[in-house]
Each structure stands twice: as C-alpha cells, then as structure tokens.
Amino acid sequence: TQLLEQSPQFLSIQEGENLTVYCNSSSVFSSLQWYRQEPGEGPVLLVTVVTGGEVKKLKRLTFQFGDARKDSSLHITAAQPGDTGLYLCAGAGVGSYGKLTFGQGTILTVHP
Amino acid sequence: DAGITQSPRYKITETGRQVTLMCHQTWSHSYMFWYRQDLGHGLRLIYYSAAADITDKGEVPDGYVVSRSKTENFPLTLESATRSQTSVYFCASSVALDRSDTQYFGPGTRLTVL
C-alpha cells in the first residue's frame, strides 16, 4: 500500500502570509494531483504534475513535483481568506494508472 | 448540466440495516469511483468501475457492494451497516483511468450509523 504523508494537518495564518504544504512518500508516483475542498462539497482538482521536477503555477499557487517523483509541495503566496479550505494531495502509483492514493489533507484557515 | 449528483445528502441509519447510496453522472464518463472520507485518513477508495458491469475493489471494500447496470449510475450498498461505516461518502467520475485524468467529485453523502 502506497502512503502519502501530508503536512501540516492544520494551518492557521493571517492574510498576506506565505505558506507551504508538503506531501511526502517513500513510493514513486506517476503523477501527483492537488485538490481543494470546501465544506459540504466534493474535492475540486487544482493541478496535476507528471514529470519529476515539474513546477506549475496557478495565480498565487505554485506546485512542485519532486525530482524523484516521491514528494510534492504547494506554496501559496500572500494568502487570502478565499484560500481557506481543505487541501488534498493525491498520487497515482506507478502501474495503478488513475487509481489515487490521498494524503490526510491540510485544513488551511486564513484570517482577515 | 447537472454533472455528478449524489443522494441522499444526509442519512441516519441503525446498525445492521441495509443502506444504498446513489450516484448519477450526466457526462457519460466511463469510470466511476466511490470513496469514503474520514478525519485523519483523507479519501480512501472503496470500489471503482471501468464501465457498465465492470467493477473492481479499491483499498477498503469490505462491507460494501456496488453494481453498475447503466453507465450513468453507480450505487453503493452497505448490506449490514456498522458504526465504523459512519463517514462522508463521495462518488467521482472520470473519462479514463490515466495518470493525468481529472476525477470529478459529487457533493458527498454524510452517513451516520447509530
């Protein structure tokens, strides 16, 4: 069973601060996805990274896939209250195609 | 343009009862998935289906049964509910099962087993 350790589990910051969420594993993944989930709703895909070392930017969000494809990070610059939510990383194992293993999630609260 | 819907949104049942959670998608996606979400565990795959009449187990299939007679529907049945099955259940669908495919999630069903 492939495991994804996500940290921190909880993050409470002030508007304007920067933050990084980490997703780590001892296993290699063929791709890594990041989702955002709001209360009472299902997760929504933010980004997919598939190449080791890949960096993708989505406005103030920067996603990185580790060179060895075992880890990933999500960095938010100048966080805003609208960024509040649950962030989930999910990996597709090598050979498991699109079947996803999810991390435990990071609950982010951005205070005005 | 309904996308993917789940019903009921909330369900309270008792230990030992049979419960069926419904999932319906309007995109004609081939793949459908059932996950459960519990605090500290993220989402865990229960079952998935590649097409009508093709289903396979995920990480935590025990105590659950699925069927898929039509492409658009993927019901999940708890044959004899237990308290450990109290959770939020999410259905998802995707076009294919490729490493870069997007899974589209429904709004979830919050199930409480007393």
Side-chain angles (χ1 to χ4, degrees):
Chain A
T1 303
Q2 296 176 307
L3 294 175
L4 269 173
E5 295 291 332
Q6 195 171 334
S7 62
Q9 275 197 289
F10 302 93
L11 202 49
S12 180
I13 62 172
Q14 294 296 125
E15 182 175 1
E17 292 183 5
N18 300 331
L19 67 109
T20 301
V21 178
Y22 299 93
C23 192
N24 295 296
S25 177
S26 58
S27 303
V28 176
F29 289 93
S30 60
S31 68
L32 207 296
Q33 297 183 329
W34 286 91
Y35 289 81
R36 179 165 172 251
Q37 183 179 11
E38 301 208 26
E41 299 180 8
V44 176
L45 181 67
L46 295 173
V47 77
T48 301
V49 285
V50 298
T51 305
E54 183 176 2
V55 177
K56 281 192 174 179
K57 292 191 176 184
L58 190 66
K59 296 183 181 178
R60 295 176 292 100
L61 279 61
T62 301
F63 305 85
Q64 186 161 9
F65 201 11
D67 291 340
R69 293 186 290 140
K70 293 182 178 181
D71 56 88
S72 181
S73 64
L74 157 61
H75 182 78
I76 301 179
T77 304
Q80 299 177 359
D83 295 326
T84 293
L86 172 66
Y87 290 82
L88 294 155
C89 64
V94 174
S96 71
Y97 300 95
K99 285 191 292 182
L100 298 175
T101 297
F102 280 82
Q104 305 97 316
T106 295
I107 298 175
L108 170 65
T109 304
V110 182
H111 302 279
Chain B
D1 192 39
I4 184 165
T5 56
Q6 294 183 235
S7 61
R9 291 295 312 277
Y10 302 90
K11 177 72 176 179
I12 300 175
T13 191
E14 295 178 337
T15 301
R17 290 190 179 266
Q18 183 179 82
V19 177
T20 296
L21 309 183
M22 304 301 293
C23 178
H24 175 79
Q25 52 109 351
T26 60
W27 295 308
S28 299
H29 285 172
S30 294
Y31 285 84
M32 295 187 75
F33 309 84
W34 274 107
Y35 294 89
R36 60 178 290 172
Q37 185 173 36
D38 305 288
L39 196 62
H41 289 279
L43 279 84
R44 291 180 290 176
L45 182 64
I46 304 171
Y47 270 96
Y48 69 102
S49 170
D53 298 322
I54 301 175
T55 62
D56 204 353
K57 297 178 180 179
E59 181 186 352
V60 289
D62 293 343
Y64 303 95
V65 175
V66 293
S67 63
R68 195 167 176 207
S69 57
K70 292 184 178 181
T71 301
E72 60 267 30
N73 297 323
F74 192 37
L76 175 73
T77 298
L78 289 66
E79 292 192 304
S80 179
T82 64
R83 289 183 180 173
S84 65
Q85 292 177 310
T86 292
S87 186
V88 182
Y89 290 85
F90 288 97
C91 178
S93 71
S94 67
V95 172
L97 197 65
D98 184 77
R99 63 176 183 166
S100 60
D101 270 305
T102 300
Q103 290 190 20
Y104 297 90
F105 286 81
T109 294
R110 182 174 293 276
L111 176 67
T112 302
V113 183
L114 302 176

